[in-house]
PDB file of all heavy atoms in Angstrom:
ATOM      1  N   ASP A 634       0.016   9.835 -31.552  1.00  0.00           N
ATOM      2  CA  ASP A 634      -0.679  10.884 -32.307  1.00  0.00           C
ATOM      3  C   ASP A 634      -2.181  10.700 -32.328  1.00  0.00           C
ATOM      4  O   ASP A 634      -2.852  11.281 -33.162  1.00  0.00           O
ATOM      5  CB  ASP A 634      -0.118  10.899 -33.748  1.00  0.00           C
ATOM      6  CG  ASP A 634       1.333  11.225 -33.758  1.00  0.00           C
ATOM      7  OD1 ASP A 634       1.751  12.195 -33.075  1.00  0.00           O
ATOM      8  OD2 ASP A 634       2.100  10.514 -34.488  1.00  0.00           O
ATOM      9  N   SER A 635      -2.708   9.844 -31.449  1.00  0.00           N
ATOM     10  CA  SER A 635      -4.109   9.608 -31.407  1.00  0.00           C
ATOM     11  C   SER A 635      -4.736  10.349 -30.209  1.00  0.00           C
ATOM     12  O   SER A 635      -4.236  10.220 -29.077  1.00  0.00           O
ATOM     13  CB  SER A 635      -4.383   8.083 -31.256  1.00  0.00           C
ATOM     14  OG  SER A 635      -5.762   7.861 -31.041  1.00  0.00           O
ATOM     15  N   ASP A 636      -5.752  11.139 -30.450  1.00  0.00           N
ATOM     16  CA  ASP A 636      -6.335  11.971 -29.407  1.00  0.00           C
ATOM     17  C   ASP A 636      -7.838  12.064 -29.579  1.00  0.00           C
ATOM     18  O   ASP A 636      -8.378  13.059 -29.996  1.00  0.00           O
ATOM     19  CB  ASP A 636      -5.709  13.354 -29.417  1.00  0.00           C
ATOM     20  CG  ASP A 636      -6.152  14.239 -28.243  1.00  0.00           C
ATOM     21  OD1 ASP A 636      -6.781  13.686 -27.332  1.00  0.00           O
ATOM     22  OD2 ASP A 636      -5.884  15.445 -28.269  1.00  0.00           O
ATOM     23  N   LYS A 637      -8.516  10.943 -29.342  1.00  0.00           N
ATOM     24  CA  LYS A 637      -9.968  10.866 -29.651  1.00  0.00           C
ATOM     25  C   LYS A 637     -10.845  11.102 -28.447  1.00  0.00           C
ATOM     26  O   LYS A 637     -12.049  11.339 -28.585  1.00  0.00           O
ATOM     27  CB  LYS A 637     -10.288   9.527 -30.307  1.00  0.00           C
ATOM     28  CG  LYS A 637      -9.591   9.367 -31.629  1.00  0.00           C
ATOM     29  CD  LYS A 637      -9.954   8.073 -32.320  1.00  0.00           C
ATOM     30  CE  LYS A 637      -9.211   7.969 -33.670  1.00  0.00           C
ATOM     31  NZ  LYS A 637      -9.531   6.722 -34.396  1.00  0.00           N
ATOM     32  N   SER A 638     -10.294  11.088 -27.232  1.00  0.00           N
ATOM     33  CA  SER A 638     -11.120  11.369 -26.058  1.00  0.00           C
ATOM     34  C   SER A 638     -11.287  12.891 -25.907  1.00  0.00           C
ATOM     35  O   SER A 638     -10.403  13.656 -26.271  1.00  0.00           O
ATOM     36  CB  SER A 638     -10.492  10.767 -24.805  1.00  0.00           C
ATOM     37  OG  SER A 638      -9.274  11.423 -24.488  1.00  0.00           O
ATOM     38  N   GLU A 689      -7.357  15.938 -33.526  1.00  0.00           N
ATOM     39  CA  GLU A 689      -7.943  14.682 -33.929  1.00  0.00           C
ATOM     40  C   GLU A 689      -9.473  14.809 -34.039  1.00  0.00           C
ATOM     41  O   GLU A 689     -10.099  14.212 -34.912  1.00  0.00           O
ATOM     42  CB  GLU A 689      -7.556  13.580 -32.942  1.00  0.00           C
ATOM     43  CG  GLU A 689      -7.894  12.162 -33.371  1.00  0.00           C
ATOM     44  CD  GLU A 689      -6.855  11.566 -34.272  1.00  0.00           C
ATOM     45  OE1 GLU A 689      -5.755  12.172 -34.448  1.00  0.00           O
ATOM     46  OE2 GLU A 689      -7.082  10.497 -34.837  1.00  0.00           O
ATOM     47  N   SER A 690     -10.052  15.596 -33.175  1.00  0.00           N
ATOM     48  CA  SER A 690     -11.502  15.828 -33.180  1.00  0.00           C
ATOM     49  C   SER A 690     -11.713  17.335 -33.015  1.00  0.00           C
ATOM     50  O   SER A 690     -11.003  18.021 -32.253  1.00  0.00           O
ATOM     51  CB  SER A 690     -12.189  15.071 -32.030  1.00  0.00           C
ATOM     52  OG  SER A 690     -11.903  13.709 -32.092  1.00  0.00           O
ATOM     53  N   PRO A 702     -10.207  17.914 -27.470  1.00  0.00           N
ATOM     54  CA  PRO A 702      -9.373  16.735 -27.340  1.00  0.00           C
ATOM     55  C   PRO A 702      -8.518  16.748 -26.105  1.00  0.00           C
ATOM     56  O   PRO A 702      -7.730  17.696 -25.856  1.00  0.00           O
ATOM     57  CB  PRO A 702      -8.511  16.805 -28.634  1.00  0.00           C
ATOM     58  CG  PRO A 702      -9.391  17.513 -29.618  1.00  0.00           C
ATOM     59  CD  PRO A 702     -10.117  18.562 -28.790  1.00  0.00           C
ATOM     60  N   THR A 703      -8.637  15.668 -25.314  1.00  0.00           N
ATOM     61  CA  THR A 703      -8.022  15.626 -23.969  1.00  0.00           C
ATOM     62  C   THR A 703      -6.503  15.741 -23.991  1.00  0.00           C
ATOM     63  O   THR A 703      -5.929  16.568 -23.275  1.00  0.00           O
ATOM     64  CB  THR A 703      -8.364  14.300 -23.267  1.00  0.00           C
ATOM     65  OG1 THR A 703      -9.818  14.214 -23.224  1.00  0.00           O
ATOM     66  CG2 THR A 703      -7.805  14.219 -21.900  1.00  0.00           C
ATOM     67  N   ALA A 704      -5.840  14.952 -24.790  1.00  0.00           N
ATOM     68  CA  ALA A 704      -4.377  14.974 -24.765  1.00  0.00           C
ATOM     69  C   ALA A 704      -3.805  16.314 -25.169  1.00  0.00           C
ATOM     70  O   ALA A 704      -2.863  16.805 -24.555  1.00  0.00           O
ATOM     71  CB  ALA A 704      -3.839  13.859 -25.672  1.00  0.00           C
ATOM     72  N   THR A 705      -4.372  16.927 -26.203  1.00  0.00           N
ATOM     73  CA  THR A 705      -3.881  18.234 -26.652  1.00  0.00           C
ATOM     74  C   THR A 705      -4.041  19.267 -25.547  1.00  0.00           C
ATOM     75  O   THR A 705      -3.173  20.091 -25.306  1.00  0.00           O
ATOM     76  CB  THR A 705      -4.605  18.695 -27.938  1.00  0.00           C
ATOM     77  OG1 THR A 705      -4.398  17.696 -28.936  1.00  0.00           O
ATOM     78  CG2 THR A 705      -4.075  20.020 -28.429  1.00  0.00           C
TER      79      THR A 705
END
Side-chain angles (χ1 to χ4, degrees):
D634 298 313
S635 174
D636 186 10
K637 296 184 180 179
S638 67
E689 190 83 9
S690 303
T703 302
T705 302

